[in-house]
């Protein structure tokens, strides 16, 4: 991430008692990392939605081991992509 976004990246951005793994403020980009969303779906998605309310996001991502989908949640579009695909971006 630092290679693409220089030093303007924040790890573990906390807003309203929730954490987002990575936040690139000047890009409006938030990234959650989750090996498997089976048990963490609500936590991952609601954290991004909470951050979006405080700091409107241009892009929200959840990077997983092998899941790929699109999620619409409280007016926020979230991309879920596998790690291998994210590394190719």
């Amino acid at each position: 991430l630092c290679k693409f976004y220089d030093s303007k990246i924040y790890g573990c951005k906390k807003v309203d008692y929730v954490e987002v793994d990575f936040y690139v403020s000047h890009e409006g980009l938030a990234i959650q990392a989750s090996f498997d969303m089976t048990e963490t779906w609500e936590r991952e998605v609601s954290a991004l939605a909470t951050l979006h309310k405080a700091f409107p996001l241009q892009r929200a991502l959840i990077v997983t081991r092998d899941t790929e989908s699109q999620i619409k949640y409280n007016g926020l579009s979230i991309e879920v992509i596998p790690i291998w695909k994210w590394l190719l971006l």
Side-chain angles (χ1 to χ4, degrees), residues 7-86:
S7 60
K8 299 172 184 166
I9 184 168
Y10 302 93
C12 291
K13 179 74 173 171
K14 293 184 181 185
V15 175
D16 292 335
Y17 304 103
V18 296
E19 288 185 8
V20 174
D21 294 331
F22 301 98
Y23 176 59
V24 184
S25 60
H26 66 282
E27 294 281 329
L29 169 65
I31 301 172
Q32 288 285 76
S34 178
F35 183 77
D36 179 15
M37 290 181 44
T38 305
E39 295 179 14
T40 64
W41 188 92
E42 181 65 32
R43 182 180 70 215
E44 308 297 347
V45 171
S46 65
L48 289 169
T50 301
L51 181 66
H52 180 61
K53 287 179 190 174
F55 305 99
L57 298 173
Q58 298 298 314
R59 189 172 184 199
L61 292 173
I62 300 175
V63 179
T64 66
R65 180 179 59 129
D66 58 5
T67 304
E68 185 170 7
S69 67
Q70 251 333 88
I71 299 171
K72 299 282 187 186
Y73 186 84
N74 289 347
L76 178 63
S77 179
I78 302 169
E79 299 171 63
V80 180
I81 60 173
I83 184 72
W84 67 267
K85 191 174 261 189
W86 181 76

